[in-house]
């Protein structure tokens, strides 16, 4: 892999319970191949030499995080919020003032299959004035449906991309965007939407490899399969 001279911060919002997962514990603490999903996710970044620190935002009442043996000096944790944006803001607030012009990558705790080649492709945005996200173009025909589950419109899929993470922006810009969204009571679902609300246009970097987010229990088999491939690659290397 190419050499990255700059330092980057990683934020992992992990304070959500994941109600759609439908299991007794949050999805980020579900174990596959002997490690929790969160541990697999942290392993994506912890040995990268360009990562300064990884900030994990967990729920204040979280009984699981402290049970993990996370001893690496790069991993720190903060109390998260009731929403993703609050958790990300709490993590950004933890960073030192000297980091305000640095890049931060926000990555889903339950997105453990990120391929390193896509990660490095995203880092190519380091000379961009705004930053951007990993995403994939929509492959299926898209239908807009009303409350009665009836199709009301077919949407041009050529204009639609499916957002993924990491999402990479300057620390000070993302903080400003999240603050404005909160002050305006504007609902955001990812960091890019906050940057857009601030008036900027983030870039998209097309993901070349599977990067699914564990959302439903039915996703476990697919995630387990992808992780088994990554673990095999690690053994071969």
């Amino acid at each position: 892999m190419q050499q990255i001279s700059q330092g980057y911060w990683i934020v992992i919002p992990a304070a959500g319970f994941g109600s759609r997962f439908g299991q007794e514990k949050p999805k980020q603490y579900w174990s596959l191949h002997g490690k929790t999903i969160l541990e697999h996710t942290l392993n994506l970044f912890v040995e990268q030499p360009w990562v300064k620190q990884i900030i994990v935002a967990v729920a204040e009442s979280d009984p699981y995080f402290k049970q993990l043996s996370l001893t690496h000096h790069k991993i720190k944790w903060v109390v998260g919020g009731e929403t993703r944006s609050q958790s990300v803001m709490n993590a950004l607030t933890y960073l030192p003032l000297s980091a305000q012009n640095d890049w931060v990558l926000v990555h889903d705790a339950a997105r453990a299959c990120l391929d390193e080649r896509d990660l490095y492709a995203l880092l190519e945005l380091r000379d961009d004035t705004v930053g951007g996200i990993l995403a994939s173009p929509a492959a299926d025909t898209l239908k807009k449906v009303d409350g009665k589950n009836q199709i009301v419109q077919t949407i041009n899929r050529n204009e639609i991309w499916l957002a993924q993470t990491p999402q990479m922006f300057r620390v000070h810009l993302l903080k400003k965007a999240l603050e404005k969204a909160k002050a305006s009571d504007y609902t955001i679902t990812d960091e890019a939407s906050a940057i857009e609300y601030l008036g900027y246009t983030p870039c998209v970097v097309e993901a070349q490899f599977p990067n699914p987010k564990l959302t439903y229990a039915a996703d476990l088999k697919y995630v387990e399969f992808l992780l088994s491939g990554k673990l095999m690659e690690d053994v071969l290397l």
Side-chain angles (χ1 to χ4, degrees):
M1 288 293 178
Q2 59 195 323
Q3 294 296 315
I4 304 296
S5 59
Q6 294 175 277
Y8 298 75
W9 305 86
I10 308 295
V11 167
I12 309 290
F17 185 80
S19 58
R20 291 177 292 178
F21 189 56
Q23 302 297 315
E24 69 273 13
K25 64 174 64 174
K27 56 192 176 183
Q28 62 267 30
Y29 297 115
W30 198 265
S31 292
L32 292 176
H33 298 292
K35 294 180 181 179
T36 64
I37 294 295
L38 178 58
E39 288 174 299
H40 284 293
T41 298
L42 292 171
N43 283 338
L44 297 170
F45 303 102
V46 74
E47 296 300 336
Q48 297 287 355
W50 44 267
V51 170
K52 289 184 175 181
Q53 211 164 64
I54 305 169
I55 316 301
V56 186
V58 301
E60 188 171 14
S61 58
D62 188 326
Y64 304 105
F65 184 77
K66 293 180 180 179
Q67 297 176 13
L68 304 180
S69 299
L70 302 177
T71 58
H72 200 284
H73 68 279
K74 285 187 180 181
I75 300 175
K76 306 296 180 182
W77 70 277
V78 299
V79 175
E82 294 183 0
T83 64
R84 177 191 178 92
S85 60
Q86 290 173 344
S87 291
V88 172
M89 177 58 80
N90 288 359
L92 295 179
T93 302
Y94 172 86
L95 300 183
L97 290 177
S98 59
Q100 299 309 298
N101 288 320
D102 290 345
W103 290 105
V104 59
L105 281 72
V106 183
H107 188 63
D108 296 326
R111 204 180 288 269
C113 302
L114 172 67
D115 191 283
E116 189 177 66
R117 288 164 289 186
D118 281 338
L119 173 60
Y120 274 76
L122 180 67
L123 294 179
E124 289 295 322
L125 292 178
R126 59 186 175 273
D127 294 324
D128 189 78
T129 57
V130 178
I133 71 173
L134 274 183
S136 58
D140 299 323
T141 298
L142 302 174
K143 302 294 185 181
K144 183 176 180 180
V145 178
D146 63 16
K148 299 178 181 179
N149 287 338
Q150 295 178 325
I151 296 171
V152 296
Q153 182 183 356
T154 298
I155 300 172
N156 183 0
R157 69 183 177 194
N158 294 328
E159 300 175 352
I160 304 298
W161 287 64
L162 308 180
Q164 301 179 9
T165 65
Q167 304 198 355
M168 185 177 93
F169 302 103
R170 296 285 184 183
V171 172
H172 70 88
L173 184 64
L174 183 54
K175 285 180 69 174
K176 182 178 180 181
L178 292 173
E179 288 169 352
K180 180 179 179 181
K182 181 180 179 181
S184 304
D185 200 26
Y186 179 76
T187 301
I188 65 170
T189 55
D190 68 352
E191 292 65 52
S193 60
I195 297 293
E196 295 163 42
Y197 187 64
L198 198 59
Y200 293 90
T201 53
C203 297
V204 295
V205 174
E206 182 174 356
Q208 301 295 321
F209 303 93
N211 183 24
K213 181 180 179 181
L214 177 60
T215 302
Y216 302 99
D219 300 331
L220 281 168
K221 288 294 184 182
Y222 182 45
V223 172
E224 183 177 24
F225 170 75
L226 291 175
L227 285 175
S228 66
K230 289 180 68 65
L231 292 172
M232 182 61 69
E233 288 178 3
D234 292 341
V235 170
L236 293 175
L237 292 173

